[in-house]
Amino acid sequence: MCGIAAIVSYRQAICLAECIRTMTNAVRHRGPDAEGYLIEQQVALGHRRLSIIDTSSVANQPLYDGAKRYALIFNGEIYNYRELRSQLEPGYAFRTESDSEVILAAFIRWGERCVSHFNGIFAFAIYDTVDQRLFLGRDRLGVKPLYYYQDDQVFLLASEVRAILRSGMVPKKLSMAGLTDYLAYQSVHEPHTIVDRIYQLPSGTCAWVDTRHPTLTLHTYWTLKAFRPAPVQSLAEVERQVADLVSKAVERQMMSDVPIGAFLSGGVDSTAIVGLMAQCTEQPINTVNLSFKEDQYDESQYAVLAARRFNTRHHTVTLSAQQLREELPIILKSIDRPSSDGVNTYMVSKYTKEAGLTVALSGLGGDELFAGYPSFKYFYDLYSSRLLWRTPRLVRQLAGSSVGLLSANRYDKLKTILATRSRSIGHMYPPIRRLFQKDVIEALTGIGDQPDFAATYLSADDTELGSMPVLSQFSVAEIATYTESVLLKDSDQMSMVHALELRVPFFDHELVDYALSIPDVYKYPGSPKQLLVNALRDILPEAIRKRPKQGFELPWTYWMKNELREFCHERLTWLGQTPYFRAEVIDTMWDKFLRGSKRVIWLQIWALVVLAEWIKENGIE
């Protein structure tokens, strides 16, 4: 894993050497092992390296082909690089053992089609010094980030938003559409960001940048919404295929020339990853668990059980509210773009790095692919209710108004669902996932006409998405919105703050393609992740197979009312003084939360706290 940056100057005089170093210095935490630059008259590339594969200096970047026509800067890992290298070697003279050089060779052989050959997590840029073009590529699930800014003067590219902001060439202006999207979904959906005119290269996309004229041409080479049906199989065959694909993904992702381990919460997903890792090596796996004194949040006993089963070198770290309070200013300064999640990943990544590891595998993705969240069953039951959808919309709206009189936050979601025009995923999913409903955002900000990027994504190509199994439609919605925009970005930024590479085997694209093709009859959640649990029954300890579902969550509600109360209050007060928010509405929400109202949950308050800190830290106007 690394940090990358690039500049293309079209008209204005820029000190490229100074500017590219400023940008790469902003992401030096992503690559503490080496730095490198290419600087020409109009183009500059910068790279900060975290050495994982071929740690020798010959593999430092920018990396050139033998003729020095092409220069590569790359962040990520290509897990199938050895297989690709064997295909490419007859026509390319390799000078390193790195996966990075395989990208160069693949691009020279296949052009932009090279991205379809890669199994991995990646964001890269290749500069063609002859044709004077940049080629950009990003992995299918958007595990590795890539941001850009373009006007008629300059094109800027970087692994993090902060690098682009620190270039000094971008107005630090808040995007109103990005603001409302953040309040709705805890983050901003690609290709947008919360900063005006800074964009994300969408996942599963490659692009060409002309270095002589300000043009950017995008091409989608893979999308979640493309239904790839699998052959008809029995349940036993499906279970065998799932087990085989997960096992192969873990084996591929264990490649490393530096120490490797795993996050082990003690849940089904992380335990399965650790169990499969143990089958791939004779050496004990290093595992790390974050525990809490608050029993209702602590899973450490299950992590210890799994660690003993697989004979791991296990590290348990107990986190208290006081420890978190002391670390919070550093954590919030580490956030590249506001997100209400990620603190837990920051802490477990910190302790994983302190345990001497540079690479760790995570169980992220099991819930999204195999119906692990309660929302899957909630959606499925509502979707399948014939009586509900035969009822005229006006009657449903009246029923929703009655439901809305109830006190709990979840009833506000149901009220919105009952008023939707249809049961399509584009109409039903947004109110299920939204953190703040539209009327609350309008009360907070005064913004009434709010775009809904998630609904727009799910409604486009509705026929193709609608042909998927119902639970797979919900999986697509979860992955394309909450997972890509929140969980994967938080996993990247919070692990890379500590120069830790985090890998996610459940998001191997071959496994994702297959999981989305599985009929609902095999996946319907009689219990969370039932299909995955059954497929891996020989690996998972019985106590973990049968344990109640529990998410990896810090004791936020208790801490925010006690040890973190003053910290939150100060930032909420500051946010209310900005031109973006109405102070009286924030004050009312904070008061309701402190009094225990079920209409305001900790996540809503924390999203505002994080936003306040991020705006202030980055000097956003």
Side-chain angles (χ1 to χ4, degrees), residues 289-299 317-321 323-325 327-328 331 340-348 351 494 550-560 564 593 602-603 606:
N289 170 259
L290 199 60
S291 69
F292 310 101
K293 295 178 181 178
E294 294 81 2
D295 291 341
Q296 66 269 37
Y297 297 95
D298 187 54
E299 300 179 86
V317 180
T318 301
L319 179 66
S320 68
Q323 287 173 301
L324 180 64
R325 173 64 184 86
E327 194 88 21
L328 263 181
I331 296 174
S340 56
D341 200 62
V343 174
N344 49 0
T345 305
Y346 176 98
M347 296 306 300
V348 71
Y351 295 125
M494 291 308 194
Q550 182 176 344
F552 179 37
E553 183 179 302
L554 305 184
W556 285 112
T557 299
Y558 178 80
W559 288 355
M560 288 168 64
L564 300 181
F593 171 75
W602 74 265
L603 194 56
W606 185 245

Side-chain angles (χ1 to χ4, degrees), residues 390-410:
R390 286 176 179 171
T391 302
R393 185 186 179 195
L394 179 59
V395 176
R396 285 189 276 113
Q397 285 178 311
L398 291 172
S401 299
S402 301
V403 166
L405 297 175
L406 300 171
S407 61
N409 179 271
R410 65 180 180 273

Side-chain angles (χ1 to χ4, degrees), residues 52 79 249-265 269-278 280-281 283-289 307 310-315 348-349 351-364 495 499-505:
I52 304 292
Y79 301 128
V250 169
E251 184 177 9
R252 269 194 293 263
Q253 296 190 26
M254 284 189 68
M255 65 160 202
S256 177
D257 293 337
V258 294
I260 187 171
F263 294 172
L264 180 57
S265 68
D269 302 331
S270 65
T271 301
I273 297 299
V274 170
L276 291 169
M277 290 175 72
C280 297
T281 177
Q283 299 299 317
I285 301 298
N286 293 282
T287 54
V288 180
N289 170 259
F310 302 118
N311 190 33
T312 75
R313 294 192 187 99
H314 191 56
H315 309 264
V348 71
S349 295
Y351 295 125
T352 301
K353 188 69 176 183
E354 289 177 357
L357 305 178
T358 304
V359 178
L361 272 62
S362 163
L364 177 63
S495 59
L500 176 76
E501 175 179 300
L502 194 60
R503 299 176 179 176
V504 282

Side-chain angles (χ1 to χ4, degrees), residues 173-358:
K173 183 178 179 182
L174 200 67
S175 162
M176 292 299 100
L179 173 62
T180 57
D181 198 37
Y182 170 77
L183 294 173
Y185 295 104
Q186 307 174 56
S187 189
V188 183
H189 294 86
E190 60 183 37
H192 310 277
T193 73
I194 200 166
V195 183
D196 193 40
R197 299 189 69 179
I198 294 181
Y199 297 96
Q200 306 174 59
L201 184 70
S203 54
T205 299
C206 57
W208 290 96
V209 180
D210 192 321
T211 65
R212 294 162 294 188
H213 309 284
T215 58
L216 175 68
T217 306
L218 280 67
H219 170 67
T220 299
Y221 69 90
W222 188 90
T223 175
L224 274 168
K225 295 189 291 185
F227 182 40
R228 293 162 276 268
V232 177
Q233 294 177 304
S234 67
L235 176 57
E237 290 171 326
V238 170
E239 289 178 355
R240 282 195 295 270
Q241 183 76 343
V242 167
D244 181 62
L245 287 169
V246 177
S247 179
K248 287 179 178 177
V250 169
E251 184 177 9
R252 269 194 293 263
Q253 296 190 26
M254 284 189 68
M255 65 160 202
S256 177
D257 293 337
V258 294
I260 187 171
F263 294 172
L264 180 57
S265 68
V268 166
D269 302 331
S270 65
T271 301
I273 297 299
V274 170
L276 291 169
M277 290 175 72
Q279 292 184 350
C280 297
T281 177
E282 295 180 358
Q283 299 299 317
I285 301 298
N286 293 282
T287 54
V288 180
N289 170 259
L290 199 60
S291 69
F292 310 101
K293 295 178 181 178
E294 294 81 2
D295 291 341
Q296 66 269 37
Y297 297 95
D298 187 54
E299 300 179 86
S300 60
Q301 70 272 28
Y302 292 105
V304 169
L305 186 156
R308 288 173 178 167
R309 166 72 177 270
F310 302 118
N311 190 33
T312 75
R313 294 192 187 99
H314 191 56
H315 309 264
T316 299
V317 180
T318 301
L319 179 66
S320 68
Q322 183 57 35
Q323 287 173 301
L324 180 64
R325 173 64 184 86
E326 294 171 359
E327 194 88 21
L328 263 181
I330 300 172
I331 296 174
L332 294 182
K333 287 181 186 297
S334 301
I335 292 177
D336 180 49
R337 81 290 172 279
S339 168
S340 56
D341 200 62
V343 174
N344 49 0
T345 305
Y346 176 98
M347 296 306 300
V348 71
S349 295
K350 175 185 176 181
Y351 295 125
T352 301
K353 188 69 176 183
E354 289 177 357
L357 305 178
T358 304

